[in-house]
Every structure is written in C-alpha cells, then in structure tokens.
Amino acid sequence: DTGVSQDPRHKITKRGQNVTFRCDPISEHNRLYWYRQTLGQGPEFLTYFQNEAQLEKSRLLSDRFSAERPKGSFSTLEIQRTEQGDSAMYLCASSLGAYSSYEQYFGPGTRLTVT
Amino acid sequence: TQLLEQSPQFLSIQEGENLTVYCNSSSVFSSLQWYRQEPGEGPVLLVTVVTGGEVKKLKRLTFQFGDARKDSSLHITAAQTGDTGLYLCAGRISGTYKYIFGTGTRLKVLA
C-alpha cells in the first residue's frame, strides 16, 4: 500500500493560466476528497466523490474549478484562469466506504503559487 | 455555518510538560478525527472517535469525544520535541460524508 499520492508536489504558474493536479487514492478506497489549505488555516472542503460520482461540491468551488474522477480511481482538479487568490496547498484524501468511521487518509498535497 | 474552533491557536511548552488542546462546535458530528501536520506535508491521521464520551489512548496521547458529540480534547502527557507540529481536528457532519476542519493548534515543544 503506497498511500495517497499527488502530482505535482509544487506548481508555479502565472495568473490567467490553467493548471491541473492529479490524485491517486489508496487502491481499494472508493471515496475521494479535495481540500484547499491556506497558510495558518485548517483544510477547507472543496468536493467529494464516491466512485466516479461527484456527490458534493462546496460553494468555494467557483466556476473556474472542476474536478473529475472518470473511472472511480484517480482524480484530477483543474483550475482555469488562475488568480493570485488561488495560491494554496491543494490536498487530496481518500477513505474506504465501509460502515465504520470513514477515516480519511491524506496525500502530501500540491503547493500552488500563482504569480 | 458549521465551525470547529480549536484552542489554543499557539502553544509553546518545555519538554516534559503536559498540555491539552480543545476542539469545540455547536454542531453534532458523527465522528471526529485528530491529525498532525508537518510543514509542507498532508495531515496524518492520529485517531478517530465515534461514540459520545469515548476516550482513546495512543501512547502519551489521550483523546476524548464529548458526550454530546460536539466537542473533543487531545491531552499530551510528558511532551517531547517530536510532538511539535500543527494539530487539527475534523468532524464528519451527521448524515453526510463531508468533514469540516478546525483552525488548528500549532504546538512547539522546546528541549
């Protein structure tokens, strides 16, 4: 079990460019979450997938943000026309949909800097 | 708006001291998790508590879930420099799979 992986770990982009991040969850986990974390704050929920279905989306996720999980395995988060306010750590987490505690396991994150 | 407030926000103590971190909300949670996060890394799960009044121990760390499942505490006995980090609580909103995170407690343990 290699854990949750995210790619890239760091991304620097110019304002107005599009960026895409990838998350590979733990292999048997059917739930996948995206969060955004700014300096000094706890992670903020962005969106959640159960298998390939996007079941919930935060109001924080503007029209410039889109997430997919096409085959219920890896997921991508795309930000179009990036703004400086998008600079943050983007975290992915996965969990097993068993009737227990729904524990989330996080990846190392992708640090986005918009210049 | 559902909020999870953590206190204190910052804590600097000497090695060997005890400390308690609190996580409070007006909302009821199905479960609550505690994480520790190092700079530039994702949060690492420490424990999950599910039942109101539940107490879990992990070596020198003791976690408690409030009877009403609205609050939780983390107590560290005889802190070590390796305990330094950002401690986060996260509650799962009842009836959903959505989690909200606390604001975090940044702990520094001095040798």
Side-chain angles (χ1 to χ4, degrees), chain A residues 25 42 49 54 65 95 108 111 114:
Chain A
F49 290 85
Q54 188 174 21
F65 287 70
S95 70
R111 165 81 57 197
V114 182

Side-chain angles (χ1 to χ4, degrees), chain B residues 11-59:
Chain B
L11 192 54
S12 181
I13 61 171
Q14 292 295 129
E15 203 168 25
E17 291 184 356
N18 301 334
L19 67 115
T20 302
V21 175
Y22 299 93
C23 178
N24 294 291
S25 177
S26 56
S27 301
V28 176
F29 297 106
S30 298
S31 63
L32 192 137
Q33 301 175 343
W34 284 92
Y35 294 85
R36 189 171 82 195
Q37 186 176 24
E38 304 289 342
E41 299 294 329
V44 175
L45 181 66
L46 296 175
V47 80
T48 299
V49 285
V50 179
T51 307
E54 183 176 3
V55 176
K56 278 193 175 176
K57 291 192 175 183
L58 187 68
K59 297 184 181 177

Side-chain angles (χ1 to χ4, degrees), chain B residues 38-40 43 55 64 74 83 105 108 110:
Chain B
E38 304 289 342
V55 176
Q64 184 160 10
L74 157 60
D83 295 328
T105 294
K108 188 167 186 179
L110 305 169

